[in-house]
Amino acid sequence: FVDVRTEEGSDASAVFVRKLRQLSAKVISRPGVTATHYVWKSGLQSTITRYTTLEEPKPFLVGIGWVLKCAENKERVDEKNYLVNVKEAEVIFGHKVRVQIPCVLC
């Protein structure tokens, strides 16, 4: 499963889904128990929440660097250097604030 967002919140998953499929990976469109990996970068809070509620053994929660390294090597690489720290991801949501700036030209 892939949940990758830009800093502005736009979905940027398609690039990584394409790379994974080129490597013959099966990519699912909804997170679930059949996933072996969750690829996540600045994704939705619901993805992290769902991930934390999964039973052990959980899928790998990896960053986009893992996908890029797999593509570079043209094979699955060890996930240990690319794991996302779930606790740090949860903290991000506790501090993320969206600010609306009034339009002075309107």
Side-chain angles (χ1 to χ4, degrees), residues 43-93:
L44 299 174
Q45 181 175 3
S46 59
T47 300
I48 295 299
T49 301
R50 181 170 294 204
Y51 179 82
T52 59
T53 62
L54 292 173
E55 293 184 18
E56 296 292 342
K58 293 182 191 275
F60 292 101
L61 179 63
V62 294
I64 59 173
W66 179 77
V67 177
L68 298 174
K69 193 63 167 177
C70 289
E72 179 184 318
N73 291 1
K74 294 184 175 55
E75 66 180 6
R76 180 177 168 182
V77 298
D78 190 345
E79 294 86 357
K80 71 179 176 189
N81 293 325
Y82 304 95
L83 297 175
V84 172
N85 184 323
V86 176
K87 295 299 179 194
E88 287 179 17
E90 289 174 329
V91 168
I92 289 170
F93 295 113

Side-chain angles (χ1 to χ4, degrees), residues 5-74:
R5 306 276 166 169
T6 65
E7 291 204 12
E8 293 79 27
S10 299
D11 190 354
S13 300
V15 172
F16 299 96
V17 168
R18 235 182 342 270
K19 283 190 180 297
L20 288 164
R21 286 189 174 144
Q22 288 171 349
L23 295 167
S24 300
K26 180 181 176 188
V27 181
I28 58 176
S29 59
R30 292 176 46 187
V33 296
T34 61
T36 59
H37 295 75
Y38 277 47
V39 178
W40 188 87
K41 179 184 181 287
S42 304
L44 299 174
Q45 181 175 3
S46 59
T47 300
I48 295 299
T49 301
R50 181 170 294 204
Y51 179 82
T52 59
T53 62
L54 292 173
E55 293 184 18
E56 296 292 342
K58 293 182 191 275
F60 292 101
L61 179 63
V62 294
I64 59 173
W66 179 77
V67 177
L68 298 174
K69 193 63 167 177
C70 289
E72 179 184 318
N73 291 1
K74 294 184 175 55

